Each structure stands twice: as C-alpha cells, then as structure tokens.
Amino acid sequence: MLKVEGLNQSYGESHILRDVRLEARRGACACLMGRNGVGKTTLLQCIMGILPILSGRILLNGADISRLPPEKRAKAGLGYVPQGRQIFPLLTVEENMRLALLSSRSGNRKIPSCIYSFFPVLEEMLQRRGGDLSGGQQQQLAIARALVLEPDLLILDEPTEGIQPNIVQEIAAAIRRLMKEMSMTVLLVEQKVPFARSIADSYAIMERGHIAAAGPMTGLDAATVKALLSV
Ligand SMILES: Nc1ncnc2c1ncn2[C@@H]1O[C@H](COP(=O)(O)OP(=O)(O)OP(=O)(O)O)[C@@H](O)[C@H]1O
Ligand SMILES: [Mg+2]
C-alpha cells in the first residue's frame, strides 16, 4: 500500500535520511524502530509532506505522492498521529475532533460513533479541555482526531511515549481492533520492543538515517535488538 524508495532528505547542510526504503502492506502493521535521533520522525514527516525530500519516491497504492502537499496526502488516505500528540490543550475533546473534521475528504461533518467504541473515555470527556486529560487520554484523543478523517493508512509516531502501562495495553488493543474491524493499515514508530512485537507484522530498524535491518517481526532476533535498539 505504501512504499518508500531511495528517499534522501536533509535539514540544510545536514543529510539525515539516506536511501531509505520502507513498505507498509495493506491490512498489516509495519513498525519502524530505532534509537533516539536516528531519523524516524523525519521520515514520517517526509511521508506526510511536512518536510521536502531531496530524492526518492513515496508511492501510495502505486501512485507517486512525493510532490503532493500535506492536505492532498491526507485526502489520499494518510492519517497522522504526531509524536508528542499535539492536541489543542485549550479546546475541548469535541472541539479537537470537530476541527479535524473540517478537512474530511468525504465531506462528513459528524464524528463517527465508532470512535467512542474504540475510546469510550472520550465520549465521557467530550466537554473536557484537551489539556486537562491525562497523557494516555490525550494520546487516545490524538488517535481519534486522525480517525475522524477515516484514513486507509494510520501513521503513529511513538504513541506509547510517556504513557502508563495499563493505557499502553488499551492503545495496543485499539490498534489491533482498528486493523481487524476497519481493515486499517498501520505504520507505527515504536521503540518499545515488546509493544512492537505485540502488534506489528514487520519491522524496519533505522540507524543514522538508513534502514539497517528489516523483515517479518517473527524474525527479529535478540542479537539485532541488542546491536540496533538497546541503549
Ligand atoms: N528541524 C530540524 N532541523 C535540523 N535538524 C533536525 C531538525 N529536526 C530533527 N533534526 C535532526 O535530525 C535527526 C533525526 O531527528 P528525528 O526527530 O527524525 O529522530 P527520531 O528518530 O524521531 O528521534 P526520537 O526517537 O527521539 O523521536 C536528529 O539528529 C535531529 O537532531
Ligand atoms: Mg521522533
């Protein structure tokens, strides 16, 4: 469904992403892993069109989207949950979701009720300000905000960062249900190996802006984890 080929990117003089290739297969969860600062978020921002690329291609269902502006990529079916959640703290839960709906590709202006089946706590807290929610609830809101646009591919950047363990389990369960019940394809950036193993079908590990190892998740062995992920 999503394919990245030979992608290069730089921030001014500093060349960060080098010949990156990555694939997310339809209906599966692909996990991009790697230590802090290797370029994971930079790659997601290139995929979303937030950052320009130097060379390479980003293909969505075979079509090259690498020159499209971010809003066209969202309309093409990419949903993005940024690192650090980035919800609007002064707006209510409902307002956060309604704001996202303004760019709905189907013209739908109603919050789909299935959102509350995935994240019941959001329905209870509709009138609460985003900034008053716990970290885990804010993450659920950030995912819900991407989901109201009914994406085909959900891209999540470290959704479990700084979140308490029981909520991490809830988020894992919600992602699994999204894949099963909504046929969602997922591209996940994650550093926690057990969490990644519990939901992903394949992995790619980045080191200094390059994919150093990749394959089916079942083939991710302890030696690779130690060499490329342990801190
Ligand atoms: N706006 C920027 N300008 C210049 N350099 C940047 C910018 N944003 C990130 N970088 C650099 O690019 C590299 C990759 O950063 P990036 O945020 O993509 O890493 P990451 O793998 O997502 O890290 P983390 O796991 O900490 O989120 C880092 O060396 C970082 O310092
Ligand atoms: Mg990052």
Side-chain angles (χ1 to χ4, degrees):
M1 169 163 212
L2 180 81
K3 236 182 186 168
V4 174
E5 297 174 345
L7 191 143
N8 283 274
Q9 176 273 354
S10 72
Y11 291 109
E13 294 285 283
S14 49
H15 190 168
I16 303 289
L17 300 181
R18 296 165 189 272
D19 292 322
V20 170
R21 63 157 54 231
L22 186 78
E23 194 172 354
R25 290 177 192 276
R26 181 173 293 281
C29 174
C31 185
L32 174 64
M33 307 169 86
R35 295 187 179 109
N36 289 116
V38 294
K40 304 179 299 295
T41 298
T42 300
L43 175 57
L44 295 192
Q45 292 187 339
C46 289
I47 292 171
M48 291 311 298
I50 299 163
L51 287 173
I53 62 174
L54 290 174
S55 62
R57 297 203 304 168
I58 301 162
L59 303 168
L60 184 63
N61 300 321
D64 190 345
I65 59 162
S66 53
R67 307 289 156 200
L68 294 182
E71 59 279 9
K72 289 234 167 96
R73 299 191 203 196
K75 287 216 157 73
L78 298 189
Y80 182 48
V81 183
Q83 186 168 16
R85 313 185 262 279
Q86 299 180 22
I87 55 146
F88 296 104
L90 298 179
L91 299 185
T92 64
V93 166
E94 185 173 6
E95 287 164 345
N96 267 278
M97 290 192 279
R98 289 206 177 282
L99 207 58
L101 270 180
L102 293 176
S103 44
S104 161
R105 53 179 168 154
S106 62
N108 178 26
R109 292 287 178 266
K110 255 190 84 190
I111 298 167
S113 58
C114 68
I115 299 282
Y116 307 126
S117 111
F118 289 107
F119 302 116
V121 72
L122 295 182
E123 188 165 29
E124 293 160 27
M125 302 209 163
L126 274 175
Q127 302 314 319
R128 220 51 97 72
R129 281 189 186 187
D132 293 338
L133 305 187
S134 71
Q137 291 162 348
Q138 288 187 13
Q139 187 59 256
Q140 296 179 54
L141 174 57
I143 298 172
R145 196 175 53 174
L147 288 179
V148 296
L149 297 178
E150 302 169 86
D152 304 317
L153 172 66
L154 186 63
I155 300 178
L156 302 132
D157 196 347
E158 303 212 35
T160 69
E161 203 178 21
I163 283 172
Q164 52 189 93
N166 61 325
I167 307 290
V168 168
Q169 290 311 314
E170 270 182 41
I171 289 173
I175 295 173
R176 271 191 227 103
R177 271 186 65 200
L178 280 167
M179 295 174 65
K180 202 163 161 218
E181 295 170 26
M182 321 268 288
S183 313
M184 191 74 75
T185 303
V186 175
L187 172 58
L188 171 74
V189 165
E190 182 56 58
Q191 295 203 44
K192 293 190 185 78
V193 178
F195 181 79
R197 283 196 197 282
S198 78
I199 53 176
D201 301 286
S202 64
Y203 75 92
I205 304 179
M206 190 174 261
E207 194 181 43
R208 277 177 274 119
H210 190 75
I211 301 294
M217 193 46 107
T218 48
L220 176 58
D221 57 37
T224 308
V225 170
K226 186 156 188 274
L228 298 172
L229 295 171
S230 305
V231 283

